């Protein structure tokens, strides 16, 4: 956990130009020295994000001034566009009939989505420093593409997660301690519950496999159709142009915004801090589906902040890796719980199957709570999540 008096993450430090080429924000930074949010002015509440965004944080290696659209954003976008085109070429190669459905095609699709997300996130954050109409149009098309390509992978992971959880929940119980009557009674009750769960676990797993495999097959067909559509070819052409030229803004206001990227990057950071500070407390229990949306929004804002950090400071913030992973686990658990609940609403299923799906849903909701706790423990801005 970082100290609450450490500084924000997006403003490069002037002293970074005087070092040996390895600034404190680089990949070799020592633990505990990374950027973090300020604790705010005296008298602010523990859940209040830091006031202002003007404090200097970890420096960009070799930075001689404020990052600009020409000096930082354009090279970043060109690099991500090159990664997009390289991944697209690999996906076409691995999708040949001899290699169809292999691991290489899945890896290429993930790399394609990763580059598309970074391009779209940067277009969203630094819209004012680019041609706004072009940025909005390309960002919307990339969001459509990443959504289509991500569904098949998500359904496959969800099925594996739920089936593994069912096997664990219906597995053998641990032996109770000898001579403990209460422990024996508890073990007996647990054994009865496991037996009842085991009856419906196999049917529940079969039901989930039918539902999610069908959804995955449809998503695979939709992805293939999208990759062969004229809409996708237009996206690929736009990204190919981006790899060589980044459209500049027009007008005095656009040129002024392109002169410095710090303001939009710090605005993305403040939006994230505000969203995290507004997250519900950790004593609300696991069955609070109405609060899932706030956590999903925090995950999206964290992703935008990470991409802005990469643009402005030239690399990812290692302190945000663990919180980002916790929010990914939260998303997966929420969607898995929703899939179990949807399967339980299937008409005319056996009571034992419905019981197993209910236990599975509860298990996944507890996974949601565990992911939230992991996020709170690893979040580097301590003041935004301090206990009331």
């Amino acid at each position: 956990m970082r100290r609450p008096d450490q500084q924000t993450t997006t403003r490069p430090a002037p002293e970074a130009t005087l070092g040996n080429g390895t600034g404190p924000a680089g990949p070799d930074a020592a633990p505990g020295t990374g950027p973090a949010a300020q604790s705010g002015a005296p008298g602010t509440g523990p859940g209040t994000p830091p006031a202002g965004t003007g404090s200097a944080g970890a420096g960009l290696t070799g930075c001689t001034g404020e990052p600009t659209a020409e000096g930082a954003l354009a090279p970043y976008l060109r690099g991500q566009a090159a990664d997009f085109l390289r991944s697209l070429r690999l996906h076409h190669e691995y999708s040949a009939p001899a290699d169809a459905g292999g691991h290489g095609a899945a890896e290429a699709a993930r790399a394609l989505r990763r580059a598309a997300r970074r391009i779209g996130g940067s277009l969203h954050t630094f819209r004012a420093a680019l041609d706004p109409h072009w940025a909005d149009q390309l960002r919307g098309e990339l969001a459509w593409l990443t959504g289509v390509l991500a569904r098949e992978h998500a359904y496959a992971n969800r099925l594996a997660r739920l089936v593994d959880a069912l096997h664990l929940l219906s597995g053998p119980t641990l032996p109770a301690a000898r001579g403990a009557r209460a422990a024996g009674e508890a073990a007996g009750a647990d054994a009865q519950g496991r037996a009842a769960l085991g009856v419906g676990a196999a049917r529940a797993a079969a039901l989930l496999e039918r539902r999610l495999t069908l959804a995955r097959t449809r998503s695979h067909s939709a992805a293939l159709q999208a990759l062969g559509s004229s809409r996708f070819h237009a996206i690929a052409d736009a990204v190919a142009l981006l790899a060589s030229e980044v459209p500049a803004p027009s007008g005095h206001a656009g040129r002024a915004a392109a002169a410095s990227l710090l303001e939009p990057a710090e605005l993305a950071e403040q939006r994230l801090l505000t969203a995290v500070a507004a997250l519900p407390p950790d004593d609300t229990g696991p069955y609070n589906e109405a609060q899932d949306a706030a956590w999903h929004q925090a995950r999206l804002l964290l992703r935008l902040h990470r991409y802005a950090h990469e643009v402005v400071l030239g690399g990812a913030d290692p302190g945000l890796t663990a919180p980002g992973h916790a929010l990914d686990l939260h998303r997966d658990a929420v969607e898995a719980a929703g899939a179990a609940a949807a399967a339980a609403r299937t008409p005319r299923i056996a009571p034992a199957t419905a019981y197993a799906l209910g236990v599975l849903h509860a298990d996944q909701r507890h996974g949601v709570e565990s992911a939230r706790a992991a996020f709170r423990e690893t979040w580097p801005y301590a003041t935004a999540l301090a206990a009331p």
Side-chain angles (χ1 to χ4, degrees), residues 36-382:
Q38 291 184 344
S39 58
T44 57
T48 304
T53 58
S55 56
L60 174 63
T61 300
C63 181
T64 59
E66 291 190 350
T68 64
E70 182 179 358
L73 180 58
Y76 181 85
L77 289 175
R78 286 195 292 266
Q80 295 301 324
D83 290 344
F84 180 97
L85 297 175
R86 186 182 308 110
S87 302
L88 178 60
R89 177 178 56 82
L90 292 175
H91 187 272
H92 285 327
E93 293 178 358
Y94 288 124
S95 298
D99 299 326
H103 181 69
E107 287 294 331
R110 278 193 288 270
L112 187 68
R113 297 199 313 270
R114 183 165 56 247
R117 287 196 305 265
R118 278 167 168 75
I119 295 173
S122 300
L123 296 180
H124 178 274
T125 301
F126 303 107
R127 176 181 180 273
L130 301 164
D131 181 349
H133 176 72
W134 167 83
D136 291 343
Q137 184 176 12
L138 181 56
R139 178 170 60 89
E141 293 299 285
L142 290 173
W144 165 78
L145 177 62
T146 55
V148 171
L149 295 181
R151 292 191 190 105
E152 179 185 0
H153 177 71
Y155 283 125
N157 287 348
R158 199 172 306 157
L159 176 60
R161 177 190 180 101
L162 290 172
V163 172
D164 290 344
L166 276 174
H167 287 317
L168 291 175
L169 291 171
S170 59
T173 59
L174 295 175
R178 294 183 179 179
R181 180 177 180 182
E185 293 176 353
D190 184 68
Q192 292 178 358
R194 294 272 184 158
L197 179 59
V199 172
R203 293 181 179 178
L207 175 60
L208 289 169
E209 185 169 3
R210 286 196 303 271
R211 292 172 60 92
L212 294 178
T213 300
L214 177 60
R216 180 187 179 185
T217 302
R218 290 174 175 172
S219 298
H220 179 73
S221 300
L224 292 179
Q225 184 177 3
L227 291 175
S229 65
S230 59
R231 183 177 183 181
F232 171 75
H233 288 295
I235 296 174
D237 291 342
V239 174
L241 292 176
L242 177 62
S244 58
E245 180 182 1
V246 177
S250 59
H252 177 73
R255 289 190 294 270
S260 176
L261 303 179
L262 290 179
E263 183 176 353
E266 291 175 343
L267 179 59
E269 181 181 52
Q270 286 301 314
R271 286 173 176 168
L272 170 64
L273 294 175
T274 302
V276 172
L279 289 175
D282 56 0
D283 57 353
T284 54
Y287 302 104
N288 46 12
E289 288 87 348
Q291 298 175 357
D292 294 341
W295 288 88
H296 294 329
Q297 179 68 11
R299 176 178 172 271
L300 294 177
L301 292 175
L302 175 58
R303 176 173 288 177
L304 290 176
H305 170 58
R306 284 172 47 212
Y307 300 160
H309 194 283
E310 293 176 2
V311 172
V312 173
L313 295 181
D317 181 4
L320 297 178
T321 301
H325 179 64
L327 290 179
D328 288 342
L329 292 178
H330 177 272
R331 187 260 331 257
D332 294 343
V334 167
E335 293 178 347
R345 292 192 291 268
T346 303
R348 298 183 299 277
I349 61 174
T353 306
Y355 172 73
L357 291 171
V359 173
L360 180 61
H361 173 266
D363 175 73
Q364 296 303 307
R365 289 307 304 182
H366 282 283
V368 170
E369 195 67 16
S370 298
R372 293 178 181 179
F375 173 80
R376 296 178 187 278
E377 292 174 359
T378 57
W379 178 243
Y381 299 88

